[in-house]
Amino acid sequence: MAVGPVRVAAGACRRVLQRAFSLHKAHSIKDMENTLQLVRNIIPPQTSKKHKGQDGRIGVIGGCQEYTGAPYFAAISALKVGADLSHVFCTREAAPVIKSYSPELIVHPVLDSPGAVHDVEEWLPRLHALVVGPGLGRDDTLLENVKGILEAAKARDIPVVIDADGLWLIARHPALIQGYRKAVLTPNHVEFSRLSEAVLREPGNGSDREAVWRLSQALGNVTVVRKGERDVLSDGEQVLECAQEGSSRRCGGQGDLLSGALGVLVHWALLAGPEKTNGCSPLLLAAVGACSLTRQCSHQAFQKHGRSTTTTDMIAEVGPAFHRLFEA
Ligand SMILES: NC(=O)C1=CN([C@@H]2O[C@H](COP(=O)(O)OP(=O)(O)OC[C@H]3O[C@@H](n4cnc5c(N)ncnc54)[C@H](O)[C@@H]3O)[C@@H](O)[C@H]2O)[C@@H](O)CC1
Ligand SMILES: Nc1ncnc2c1ncn2[C@@H]1O[C@H](COP(=O)(O)OP(=O)(O)OP(=O)(O)O)[C@@H](O)[C@H]1O
Ligand SMILES: [Mg+2]
């Protein structure tokens, strides 16, 4: 059940977020509850009046010869969070493999074709958000195509979540994303250092919080989510931390779940409008939601499967974890 808007001013919103996601461990249950309440505000209500597609049409740009799991994890997570349609734009040979994982994904084998940018561009008017990078690989031709796709998405004001090899591309060409306020970058530890080196000419010096804030500022307030033992999030103004209990299991693919979930939440947060977000950055709220959800999935899956937990087990927890965090 979606809960009505919390009436707090921007300053109050900032205080709520800072208390709940502070550097110190002593989060009160009430502070965390207030923060999750803000995320709940952006979740669209489920009604019988909606048509297919209204709750989100998400596109994942990634999937190549080596990596077919990552784009699948991202795209299926978007659906499980609540998007209506999830597309994957991948290379020709990755497509049948990704299709075989799930009949629920719409898979376009276009990313290595000469007309890749045009082919994806044709779909852009029908997409609410793009998740760029899971399983993309680092082939120069593919990356060149993704540059064109990013430019086309920006021209249409489409929100983009950039992860994995998409971040490799951004580290080489930061101008691609500079100042684009509808972008969220989701680096892991190594990806963050690479970006910091490229943008700030330093390997992420200073405290975690300061380093994330500086990178976001340097990129013109692009939202940055640095994943790790605690996730650190900044839009160049506020810095938040998410310490939702996760697990000690570090199998591959958890970041892909996060980026796919974030694709939907970014769309919902922007759609909700300032009345629902109460002065908070919609992208930051979406990121808080995606980080909390991923970690809660990890926690629940680990309780059932322990050491053998895999990302597939976490994806099976998306529904129950979402309900527990945002609807209970
Ligand atoms: N099943 C799949 O198809 C998967 C594919 N993946 C894809 O694999 C490609 C490369 O991604 P990588 O994440 O390996 O990126 P990189 O190729 O940049 O490698 C990062 C390296 O850093 C290490 N690392 C990660 N966190 C660290 C930390 N906190 N401290 C020290 N070392 C750390 C990792 O083990 C990895 O070897 C991407 O396209 C990604 O999407 C991954 O998403 C995992 C799952
Ligand atoms: N040490 C840790 N303790 C708890 N949670 C962690 C830890 N490191 C990462 N996480 C969580 O795991 C999830 C994925 O982060 P991770 O750093 O593994 O991303 P990634 O390397 O991009 O993953 P992927 O394998 O999908 O590429 C995030 O939700 C993050 O909060
Ligand atoms: Mg990753």
Side-chain angles (χ1 to χ4, degrees), residues 8 16 44 47 59 95 105 120 128 140 149 168 170-171 175-177 203 210 214 223 225 228 261 273 276 284-285:
V8 287
V16 167
T47 75
L105 305 180
V120 178
H128 295 119
D140 281 339
I149 293 165
W168 171 265
I170 297 301
L176 268 175
I177 212 69
E210 191 190 335
R214 279 158 61 86
T223 300
V225 177
K276 293 273 176 71
L284 216 44
L285 270 188

Side-chain angles (χ1 to χ4, degrees), residues 134 163-165 167 186-188 191 227 253-256:
D163 187 33
D165 298 315
L167 297 170
T186 55
N188 63 22
E191 291 157 347
K227 299 169 291 191
Q254 301 186 36
D256 306 318

Side-chain angles (χ1 to χ4, degrees), residues 62-64 66-73 101 133-138 163-166 168 188-191 194 226-229 250-257 259 311:
C64 63
E66 295 91 340
Y67 307 122
T68 52
Y72 162 76
F73 290 144
Y101 297 152
L136 176 62
R138 293 173 191 171
D163 187 33
D165 298 315
W168 171 265
N188 63 22
H189 178 83
V190 172
E191 291 157 347
R194 204 181 279 135
R226 176 183 168 159
K227 299 169 291 191
E229 188 174 352
R250 300 270 66 79
C251 59
Q254 301 186 36
D256 306 318
L257 191 165
S259 64
T311 298

Side-chain angles (χ1 to χ4, degrees), residues 2 52 60 85 94 143 162 209 231 274 286 320 327:
K52 180 180 67 180
V60 175
L85 294 164
L143 294 181
I162 305 189
R209 294 171 68 99
D231 301 327
E327 294 174 313

Side-chain angles (χ1 to χ4, degrees), residues 10-20 238:
C13 152
R14 185 171 300 132
R15 282 194 295 278
V16 167
L17 289 174
Q18 276 168 349
R19 273 205 309 273
Q238 289 178 259

Side-chain angles (χ1 to χ4, degrees), residues 303-317:
Q303 284 185 323
K304 291 184 186 167
H305 306 283
R307 187 178 288 279
S308 77
T309 300
T310 61
T311 298
T312 302
D313 300 320
M314 286 174 57
I315 288 167
E317 297 299 327

